[in-house]
Amino acid sequence: MNFEIKGNNKKSPAIYKTLYIRQHLVDKIEKIANEHNTSVNNVIISMIESCLEDE
């Protein structure tokens, strides 16, 4: 795994967005979330933040 799953205890302003994600990706994300005892949302946000930090 090339990203760090960050804690989700900080509450900062956020908005709601809907994403359509292919099933095979959801399966992989859910597996990561279960392995780290966190939410799918937290895994996806951690992935996005990691990708944006690399820019």
Side-chain angles (χ1 to χ4, degrees):
M1 183 168 27
N2 296 331
F3 65 97
E4 177 185 341
I5 296 178
K6 299 178 181 174
N8 57 359
N9 56 358
K10 292 183 180 177
K11 295 292 180 185
S12 58
I15 60 170
Y16 179 83
K17 291 289 184 181
T18 301
L19 299 173
Y20 293 93
I21 305 172
R22 293 193 168 105
Q23 184 64 51
H24 75 277
L25 295 175
V26 171
D27 294 341
K28 291 179 181 182
I29 294 166
E30 286 177 338
K31 182 179 179 198
I32 293 168
N34 287 333
E35 289 172 355
H36 291 86
N37 195 32
T38 191
S39 67
V40 167
N41 186 71
N42 192 35
V43 173
I44 293 171
I45 296 303
S46 295
M47 290 176 168
I48 292 169
E49 287 176 343
S50 177
C51 288
L52 293 176
E53 286 173 0
D54 290 343
E55 289 185 344

